[in-house]
Amino acid sequence: MSKPHPLLAGLSGRCPNCGEGFLFDGFLKVAPACEACGYDFSKADSGDGPAVFVILIAGFAVAFAAVFTEFTVHPPIWVHLILWLPATLILSLGLMRPLKGAMLAAQFMNRASEARHDH
């Protein structure tokens, strides 16, 4: 069986090394190691990268939808609040885990932990 593409495995929350074990031990907490292949995730650190991408993607989608709705329908402000606040929350939470997995998989693909000098 061939190994899956690391980015696709990361997006689905699986180990970028084998594609079978879980990458996360909770919603956003990275597991200490893969339970399938034993790959060590202790050096994996996505930093603020996933949050930046979530802000850019969700912000664009919600802002575009809100402006489009305002110019086409002209709803009262309370309709905007009822529509776009939950949409922002749902979209942000829905994107955070896959994007964090993709960032960790990108580190794996580029061997970023091996380049660190602050062991």
Side-chain angles (χ1 to χ4, degrees):
M1 182 173 187
S2 65
K3 288 186 176 185
H5 193 274
L7 279 179
L8 295 177
L11 281 170
S12 63
R14 297 292 185 171
C15 172
N17 188 41
C18 68
E20 295 189 21
F22 292 107
L23 182 58
F24 296 104
D25 187 22
F27 183 63
L28 289 176
K29 182 182 178 205
V30 179
C34 174
E35 72 267 0
C37 69
Y39 185 77
D40 183 23
F41 297 134
S42 65
K43 294 182 181 177
D45 180 26
S46 62
D48 293 336
V52 170
F53 286 114
V54 167
I55 289 169
L56 292 173
I57 295 168
F60 173 77
V62 171
F64 178 80
V67 169
F68 183 79
T69 303
E70 177 60 33
F71 285 126
T72 57
V73 182
H74 306 295
I77 191 70
W78 63 268
V79 172
H80 282 295
L81 293 174
I82 289 174
L83 287 176
W84 308 122
L85 288 178
T88 303
L89 182 67
I90 292 167
L91 196 56
S92 297
L93 290 176
L95 286 173
M96 184 56 79
R97 187 176 166 135
L99 290 178
K100 184 169 183 169
M103 293 291 285
L104 294 172
Q107 281 185 339
F108 169 79
M109 288 174 49
N110 295 307
R111 294 177 171 76
S113 63
E114 296 174 10
R116 294 181 65 174
H117 299 290
D118 59 345
H119 300 287

